[in-house]
Amino acid sequence: MQAMLRAALATLTLLAWPTSAAAQQWQGSVGLHERHWSNTEHDQSGRQLVREAGWLPGIAARATYQDHGWTWFAETMLHDKAIAYHGQTQSGQARDSSTATRLALLRIGAACDIDTRDASLALIATLEWERWTRTIEGAQGAVGLQERNDARRISAGIRKKWQLTGRGALFADAALVLVAPQRLRVDFSGALDPAALNTPSAQGLRLGAGMRPAFAPQLELLVSYDWIKVARSSDVPIALKGRPIGTMAQPEHRQRAITLSASFLF
């Protein structure tokens, strides 16, 4: 991960070359988000073990500062709702339940214009911290789980803007996402001692598009797609009252999210 961090810092450094002058400007926004999130876990043979999926409503706030071809931004998001859970017990019996899910995200980043004619093309890099708090309800005799996961990510990519005369502006972006090893903490509703493990570093992809219509210049509509694949973790011991009774691991899992948002700019 240190190599990934050095690469991200190098990307931010390379963004700093001369650009056309532009007036300094602050801008803020608040908005509503609707995020369809899915998570699938697979065993070592590729067989699906768990699927969680559902819509997570949320709110977001963003602050942006523009100065001489640079754009600096910080944003925070909060999503909270229960989603559907379909998995199985250790013995292989299918279980359906729900997962109460809370997601908090903090993102900071910078973009630098590289098309000096009309500032329509920019390089963009971000640093992100995300916390998932999940409660998988017990069902059909299966014990519920409480999980907390902290994720740190860096991303680097490119953004393109189009000014449409009389119709507003369109923009699109694409970025590579690098995920640091994550710390996953698991509580077994008191049936076993709490446990924790680290997942491997991972890679992903983010695509986005949006518009600001001419008839409502303070309205911004966005859609984004995120995809991340995380390999299986190493086995760690689990215990009951301090006595080891077995091991656990986080299976290989794939996360996908489609986020729709509508924000008011001020």
Side-chain angles (χ1 to χ4, degrees):
M1 186 60 196
Q2 291 181 350
M4 296 180 185
L5 183 57
R6 287 195 295 268
L9 293 176
T11 300
L12 285 170
T13 301
L14 289 172
L15 292 177
W17 60 63
T19 57
S20 60
Q24 297 178 354
Q25 180 180 0
W26 280 98
Q27 186 175 70
S29 70
V30 293
L32 299 177
H33 284 212
E34 193 74 30
R35 184 175 192 177
H36 187 272
W37 182 78
S38 67
N39 176 65
T40 56
E41 299 180 359
H42 303 263
D43 64 17
Q44 292 173 292
S45 66
R47 181 172 59 96
Q48 181 174 298
L49 300 173
V50 170
R51 174 176 169 78
E52 298 170 274
W55 287 96
L56 295 169
I59 56 175
R62 178 183 174 108
T64 302
Y65 178 70
Q66 295 178 319
D67 182 22
H68 295 90
W70 277 84
T71 301
W72 304 89
F73 58 88
E75 60 184 330
T76 183
M77 305 177 194
L78 180 65
H79 294 262
D80 193 349
K81 194 175 183 291
I83 61 176
Y85 176 95
H86 178 73
Q88 56 185 320
T89 65
Q90 293 292 334
S91 61
Q93 295 179 314
R95 291 291 185 270
D96 291 327
S97 183
S98 64
T99 303
T101 303
R102 171 169 289 186
L103 163 65
L105 173 69
L106 175 64
R107 178 184 293 141
I108 60 174
C112 182
D113 297 337
I114 58 176
D115 187 337
T116 58
R117 295 167 299 174
D118 58 6
S120 66
L121 193 64
L123 296 179
I124 184 168
T126 66
L127 301 174
E128 301 176 4
W129 172 83
E130 184 178 76
R131 169 165 290 180
W132 283 94
T133 304
R134 303 164 61 241
T135 300
I136 304 171
E137 300 295 336
Q140 301 165 294
V143 174
L145 300 177
Q146 298 78 45
E147 299 183 351
R148 193 181 76 182
N149 182 36
D150 292 321
R152 293 163 294 143
R153 296 189 289 260
I154 57 178
S155 68
I158 194 165
R159 173 172 291 172
K160 175 69 175 176
K161 297 180 182 178
W162 297 269
Q163 294 292 337
L164 305 179
T165 303
R167 290 179 289 175
L170 298 177
F171 42 92
D173 55 76
L176 174 67
V177 181
L178 304 176
V179 186
Q182 303 171 49
R183 185 69 169 172
L184 175 64
R185 301 164 182 85
V186 184
D187 198 314
F188 300 90
S189 299
L192 298 171
D193 297 346
L197 56 80
N198 292 321
T199 63
S201 58
Q203 298 80 42
L205 178 68
R206 175 175 297 143
L207 303 174
M211 67 177 299
R212 294 180 183 176
F215 66 85
Q218 291 181 294
L219 175 65
E220 183 175 77
L221 304 175
L222 298 174
V223 57
S224 65
Y225 173 78
D226 292 80
W227 176 88
I228 293 173
K229 179 179 178 180
V230 184
R232 184 182 188 275
S233 73
S234 300
D235 292 336
V236 297
I238 53 175
L240 177 60
K241 297 181 180 179
R243 180 172 59 88
I245 61 171
T247 62
M248 75 169 190
Q250 174 67 28
E252 174 190 292
H253 57 284
R254 302 165 194 172
Q255 297 179 350
R256 299 176 179 87
I258 297 175
T259 305
L260 309 174
S261 68
S263 299
F264 173 76
L265 309 177
F266 56 88

